[in-house]
Amino acid sequence: MSKLQANRISRTNYHLGNFKFQAKQVLRIITPPEIRHKLHPLWVGLRMHPVMLMPNHISNYVYDLRRFLKWSSANYKINTQNQLRAIITKDYHRIEKGLALKNPRVGFGREVIQRLLSNLLKHQEKFGSDETIQIALNTLFAYYYFNLEQDLKDEQLYKTLIKLQEKIHTSESKTQQGGVFKITKGYILKSAEIPLQAFFESRYSIRNFASNDVEMNLIEQAVAMAQKTPSVCNRQSSKVYVFSSEEDKRKVLSYQNGNRGFGDQANKVLIVVSDLENFTTIGERNQCWIDGGMYAMSVVYALHSLGLGTCCLNWSVEPQVDMALKRATGIKDSESVIMMIAVGHLPDELKVAQSPRKKVHEVLIVK
Ligand SMILES: Cc1cc2nc3c(=O)[nH]c(=O)nc-3n(C[C@H](O)[C@H](O)[C@H](O)COP(=O)(O)O)c2cc1C
């Protein structure tokens, strides 16, 4: 949809809204109160009729569509470094995944390798090097050595990789990451040996915080833990904004409708976002909500593990409010707000909502 069409729909929506308002004013003047009283349910029914709601629904979807087309590379236009980096990450991760299979096919993924090499060159020319580029290159070397071990010697690939390595070698890009490594069942079982049920059950949405400061290093620790959250092709689209000053917290919470009575006690307010520049096909149009939602869950559990209280705060808003928050905070248009999280220390005693859960048999469908 073109910008012109999008503008036209939102203008139509605006005029319809205006028309509805004026019609209401006229009706108020020309109808006696008792008739008005009788007409009221009819008016409410009319207002809530799907046809009347449609323009607003469409303009909300147009907002999402405009942002997705502008910032993702689903339209095959790659303008920003983030978009190119996302495509590089997607491709080098394909190779990592291939190498992690039980029996990788010798010489697999030729097309991906070619595209990755050409995108690495493009990145180098347009934006220089960074850690992602080095990781991608390390993965390509791992691919080369895997094939070599299987008696497939690809001289041409090796020469290209060496040339690329010479070009991209910078001080920030020194990392050994990329490729695969071996781990054992014993390591996983030992590390995962924690009473997780009690951990899950003791997390509540906290709406009553103690007044002491939440140290920034706790937020940093939680975000470091959340970095291990799975994401589509490891593209890691999520970020966390932290608001600490009274003024900033008040400002961001004023755009959110579910924090009345406790938001002002939160010592930190986090905003979790997912950047649309990481998504590459129209099939990924909802991926930001999944990756960002999972990331937010990790942040909440990580904060819980550090003894802090949290309350997720919905971002179920229409475009005007979304844009207003972004203007007020500097959150980018390309970033979709997943949720806010109120964070604070726990008081010694507190009440929590019971929030009873459905039974397992209601949600577990065994086919
Ligand atoms: C995305 C999301 C948005 C939420 N928004 C709000 C909110 O705006 N205000 C609020 O008080 N609680 C909010 N909650 C908390 C839920 O009410 C709570 O998670 C649910 O009732 C389960 O309770 P529990 O978290 O204590 O287990 C939200 C939760 C999620 C996951």
Side-chain angles (χ1 to χ4, degrees):
M1 180 166 313
S2 70
K3 213 171 174 177
L4 195 73
Q5 282 169 311
N7 279 341
R8 207 170 286 150
I9 289 177
S10 61
R11 256 203 324 271
T12 312
N13 192 17
Y14 170 77
H15 288 309
L16 252 169
N18 231 355
F19 169 75
K20 278 194 290 187
F21 176 74
Q22 282 165 3
K24 208 171 155 189
Q25 298 297 90
V26 172
L27 271 175
R28 182 163 288 160
I29 294 163
I30 62 170
T31 45
E34 46 309 343
I35 298 191
R36 242 180 19 229
H37 192 67
K38 281 196 180 137
L39 283 179
H40 185 69
L42 193 73
W43 171 246
V44 172
L46 194 65
R47 234 177 40 200
M48 294 302 165
H49 191 278
V51 173
M52 297 297 273
L53 295 174
M54 194 56 82
N56 190 36
H57 288 191
I58 291 175
S59 70
N60 273 263
Y61 277 110
V62 167
Y63 178 67
D64 293 346
L65 179 61
R66 175 193 68 74
R67 291 183 50 252
F68 192 76
L69 289 183
K70 181 167 181 191
W71 296 112
S72 75
S73 46
N75 53 11
Y76 298 101
K77 287 200 189 111
I78 301 162
N79 300 315
T80 69
Q81 184 177 12
N82 281 344
Q83 289 168 338
L84 187 55
R85 210 190 274 145
I87 287 171
I88 288 172
T89 304
K90 186 175 174 177
D91 278 342
Y92 88 65
H93 187 60
R94 279 186 168 145
I95 301 169
E96 279 187 332
K97 282 192 290 191
L99 292 172
L101 295 179
K102 196 170 176 186
N103 293 310
R105 189 165 52 80
V106 180
F108 72 90
R110 290 270 160 205
E111 206 183 306
V112 176
I113 305 283
Q114 289 314 317
R115 187 173 55 227
L116 181 54
L117 286 169
S118 112
N119 280 332
L120 286 175
L121 271 174
K122 200 187 288 176
H123 190 286
Q124 171 62 25
E125 279 158 19
K126 268 182 109 170
F127 308 111
S129 303
D130 65 8
E131 199 174 69
T132 305
I133 304 308
Q134 184 65 57
I135 294 172
L137 195 58
N138 293 346
T139 307
L140 283 165
F141 272 114
Y143 171 84
Y144 168 77
Y145 286 118
F146 159 75
N147 283 318
L148 193 62
E149 275 169 24
Q150 315 298 315
D151 294 329
L152 177 69
K153 192 169 182 180
D154 189 340
E155 281 289 347
Q156 185 57 39
L157 176 63
Y158 188 71
K159 278 186 195 152
T160 314
L161 294 182
I162 293 292
K163 260 194 212 155
L164 251 171
Q165 177 70 67
E166 281 162 7
K167 270 193 179 167
I168 75 165
H169 201 70
T170 64
S171 49
E172 328 83 85
S173 64
K174 271 186 203 144
T175 170
Q176 303 302 314
Q177 296 179 93
V180 286
F181 59 87
K182 285 194 177 138
I183 55 169
T184 62
K185 178 178 170 182
Y187 156 74
I188 294 181
L189 294 188
K190 179 124 195 58
S191 313
E193 210 179 89
I194 43 176
L196 206 53
Q197 190 174 348
F199 176 78
F200 273 37
E201 280 175 5
S202 58
R203 185 212 52 82
Y204 295 95
S205 287
I206 302 301
R207 300 180 180 89
N208 173 2
F209 295 106
S211 60
N212 42 330
D213 246 11
V214 171
E215 303 76 1
M216 246 337 270
N217 77 315
L218 292 180
I219 304 288
E220 282 164 15
Q221 279 183 55
V223 170
M225 285 189 239
Q227 280 300 100
K228 190 67 178 71
T229 308
S231 65
V232 68
C233 295
N234 199 26
R235 271 175 268 163
Q236 305 168 62
S237 64
S238 306
K239 293 180 198 163
V240 183
Y241 287 80
V242 186
F243 298 88
S244 302
S245 76
E246 288 307 319
E247 192 193 338
D248 284 350
K249 286 186 290 177
R250 202 174 315 114
K251 187 169 66 184
V252 297
L253 289 177
S254 71
Y255 296 102
Q256 202 276 338
N257 64 9
N259 67 87
R260 195 176 302 156
F262 68 95
D264 58 341
Q265 299 167 24
N267 188 262
K268 298 268 182 291
V269 176
L270 312 185
I271 302 185
V272 178
V273 301
S274 166
D275 197 326
L276 293 177
E277 288 189 300
N278 290 282
F279 302 108
T280 60
T281 63
I282 191 64
E284 291 178 349
R285 66 195 178 281
N286 294 319
Q287 198 62 42
C288 71
W289 311 117
I290 299 162
D291 286 7
M294 288 177 66
Y295 190 89
M297 185 75 261
S298 293
V299 172
V300 165
Y301 274 133
L303 291 166
H304 177 49
S305 79
L306 296 169
L308 292 163
T310 60
C311 188
C312 300
L313 300 172
N314 78 82
W315 193 240
S316 312
V317 298
E318 298 201 19
Q320 293 82 341
V321 183
D322 194 51
M323 289 187 288
L325 176 77
K326 287 177 175 176
R327 272 194 303 272
T329 53
I331 292 177
K332 293 193 292 177
D333 184 48
S334 64
E335 294 170 341
S336 295
V337 176
I338 306 299
M339 66 174 76
M340 296 187 185
I341 304 174
V343 186
H345 280 288
L346 297 164
D348 289 336
E349 266 185 35
L350 67 160
K351 281 186 294 181
V352 290
Q354 286 195 11
S355 298
R357 298 305 207 260
K358 292 179 184 172
K359 303 281 173 288
V360 170
H361 69 83
E362 292 177 82
V363 298
L364 180 66
I365 300 112
V366 183
K367 291 281 190 188

